Amino acid sequence: MPLHAPPRTLDDLLLYRTSRLLSVAGSMVIRLCEGRFGITRREWRLIATLAGHGALGSSQLAEHAQLDRARTSRAVSSLVEKGLVSREQPAGDRRHVLLRLTARGTKLHAELYPLVCAINTELLGALDTAEAALLDDMLQRLHARGEAMVAAADLPKADRRRREAPAAR
């Protein structure tokens, strides 16, 4: 395992840098989603996931989209209200619900996906082909390492309720 110099400042942290990149470049996607299509970025993620995987159960959708189940459920309810996703119960199984894009959801995906791809392509235009391939490989390895770290971590669950910050120790 190679040794790396410890980060000196916040700007040296990989997660902070990737978050900033997402904030800058992702803002264009958010503006498209919200301004032109009337959906949130979370709803877009679910639409794109359903477009890529077909009908899924709610838990499967949350897993594929890497969102928690409660947020997925709220976003799905909103998408159903907007007529972009349908809930269907397979015959004889009242506990299971399949989610799938409606014709309107499929049309929205067909319009928005090429715009998101164009943003992605323009962003990657800063790299040559070999650099883009190397970045893809590195991102896959970093993702796998992150998943392994999460699996091995013994950390408390986040308390998402709003409350005062704990006192400094």
Side-chain angles (χ1 to χ4, degrees):
M1 176 184 202
L3 296 176
H4 300 284
R8 293 181 317 272
T9 68
L10 181 64
D11 289 325
D12 295 334
L13 296 172
L14 173 65
L15 294 177
Y16 181 69
R17 293 176 74 186
T18 56
S19 176
R20 286 184 49 211
L21 173 60
L22 179 61
S23 179
V24 170
S27 69
M28 292 184 290
V29 174
I30 291 168
R31 289 176 69 183
L32 277 171
C33 288
E34 294 176 357
R36 189 181 301 180
F37 294 93
I39 60 171
T40 67
R41 68 178 174 198
R42 183 170 291 121
E43 290 170 344
W44 165 241
R45 186 186 293 189
L46 297 179
I47 287 168
T49 301
L50 287 171
H53 292 278
L56 294 170
S58 186
S59 294
Q60 293 170 309
L61 178 58
E63 184 178 323
H64 284 296
Q66 294 188 319
L67 294 170
D68 67 62
R69 290 180 185 175
R71 288 187 172 141
T72 300
S73 178
R74 285 191 296 272
V76 164
S77 292
S78 176
L79 290 169
V80 169
E81 286 176 23
K82 293 174 183 178
L84 300 170
V85 169
S86 67
R87 285 186 178 117
E88 302 168 11
Q89 288 187 321
D93 188 355
R94 296 171 60 85
R95 295 169 297 155
H96 190 69
V97 174
L98 278 180
L99 304 166
R100 72 178 74 241
L101 291 179
T102 63
R104 279 185 62 202
T106 301
K107 182 177 185 282
L108 185 148
H109 180 266
E111 292 175 22
L112 180 52
Y113 187 73
L115 300 173
V116 173
C117 285
I119 292 168
N120 188 74
T121 299
E122 186 172 343
L123 184 61
L124 286 172
L127 307 176
D128 65 30
T129 303
E131 290 170 326
L134 182 59
L135 175 62
D136 184 60
D137 177 64
M138 290 186 294
L139 289 171
Q140 287 180 31
R141 287 186 285 145
L142 287 168
H143 190 261
R145 172 69 60 92
E147 285 182 336
M149 290 168 59
V150 167
D154 183 21
L155 298 171
K157 287 233 180 227
D159 183 359
R160 302 232 183 256
R161 297 173 295 180
R162 299 232 182 245
R163 60 186 169 108
E164 290 184 28
R169 295 177 190 205

